[in-house]
Amino acid sequence: MPSKPKRSGSAKSSSGNPITSLLGVLALLTALLASMVYVAEQNLHNFYIFGLEELKDVSARGLAKHGNDTRSVVKFIVDDLHRTHGAYINVNEDWMFNNAGGAMGAMYILHASVTEYLIIFGTAIGTEGHTGRHTADDYFHILNGEQWAYVPGEYEPEVYPAGSVHHLRRGEVKQYKMPDRCFALEYARGWIPPMLFFGYADGLSSTLDFPTLWKTTHSTGGQMIANLLRGKF
């Protein structure tokens, strides 16, 4: 009786291992994603539509015209930015609570996209918490009151009064406090989506304020999608 032919090892290996193939595909996708992120990172400045001096200037003009009337200062800023940036600015004043890093306040989202967000943030009774360590630079233009900040190893606080700007650099972290009434125009530029985890953490683990979480998601996500459709990354 003739013997059955043996399968060669080369024929078996040519069929491939599904796990090895999957790992190869994942490695390729990871490399492509890393390359895309790197290229985008090098060109982030091309995506910004707000200028640092522009926001500093409009805040200063609002304070010069309306002083301690914070409601009028905010309206002045919103109207001026809407005049220069059109649909990129949300003029429908819609305030919502914000709990993040142990601090609680309220915010009005003027603009949200993948690379920038611009909000009015503040509280009438003071708050204190952790700034978070973010993937974007954050510029806090004080419109009313004071913000204090502290970094480990220092023995005196950083004090930011009305008219000043507190720049929290990307990747840095501080303790901050609004000792009393304080409102600010807050601008972040960099990678915004990773910051949302910090913004949702307290709501999901502590306050369980799901209506506010939904309102935040609807407003932020809606503006991000609308701005992407307008060609704003």
Side-chain angles (χ1 to χ4, degrees):
M1 179 181 291
S3 59
K4 295 181 179 180
K6 295 181 180 180
R7 295 181 180 178
S8 66
S10 60
K12 183 178 180 180
S13 61
S14 64
S15 62
N17 186 317
I19 295 179
T20 302
S21 299
L22 177 61
L23 291 175
V25 171
L26 289 176
L28 178 60
L29 290 176
T30 300
L32 288 173
L33 180 61
S35 300
M36 291 172 62
V37 171
Y38 175 79
V39 172
E41 176 72 24
Q42 302 307 307
N43 293 278
L44 270 178
H45 60 281
N46 294 322
F47 301 121
Y48 303 144
I49 62 173
F50 300 105
L52 299 180
E53 289 302 318
E54 170 194 20
L55 296 178
K56 185 177 180 180
D57 174 68
V58 71
S59 298
R61 287 189 286 113
L63 285 171
K65 185 172 183 178
H66 297 288
N68 290 324
D69 184 357
T70 310
R71 186 183 299 275
S72 296
V73 172
V74 169
K75 187 177 187 310
F76 176 89
I77 291 172
V78 173
D79 289 346
D80 192 89
L81 291 175
H82 182 254
R83 178 179 57 80
T84 54
H85 294 283
Y88 290 117
I89 294 295
N90 172 31
V91 295
N92 299 315
E93 188 171 357
D94 187 16
W95 287 87
M96 62 200 76
F97 275 126
N98 176 259
N99 289 81
M104 184 174 184
M107 65 179 178
Y108 160 29
I109 304 174
L110 278 67
H111 174 89
S113 65
V114 175
T115 57
E116 294 175 290
Y117 80 65
L118 186 65
I119 67 174
I120 302 294
F121 176 81
T123 173
I125 60 176
T127 191
E128 180 179 6
H130 189 292
T131 61
R133 195 182 298 274
H134 299 302
T135 52
D137 283 276
D138 189 270
Y139 300 86
F140 212 71
H141 301 78
I142 311 297
L143 304 177
N144 181 278
E146 287 185 345
Q147 185 193 52
W148 301 350
Y150 171 74
V151 293
E154 296 297 328
Y155 290 93
E156 297 294 333
E158 301 172 10
V159 179
Y160 299 93
S164 66
V165 182
H166 179 195
H167 177 198
L168 180 68
R169 290 175 175 79
R170 178 177 177 174
E172 294 186 356
V173 63
K174 297 180 182 180
Q175 176 189 9
Y176 80 95
K177 181 177 184 177
M178 297 171 171
D180 205 333
R181 180 174 184 245
C182 182
F183 288 88
L185 174 69
E186 182 179 0
Y187 172 58
R189 53 161 50 180
W191 294 110
I192 304 305
M195 299 178 69
L196 300 179
F197 295 104
F198 177 75
Y200 280 86
D202 281 13
L204 293 172
S205 64
S206 177
T207 67
L208 303 181
D209 183 3
F210 296 114
T212 292
L213 288 174
W214 165 248
K215 189 173 183 179
T216 302
T217 302
H218 184 268
S219 180
T220 305
Q223 289 195 46
M224 282 185 169
I225 292 171
N227 285 322
L228 281 172
L229 293 175
R230 296 185 186 106
K232 169 66 176 75
F233 184 64

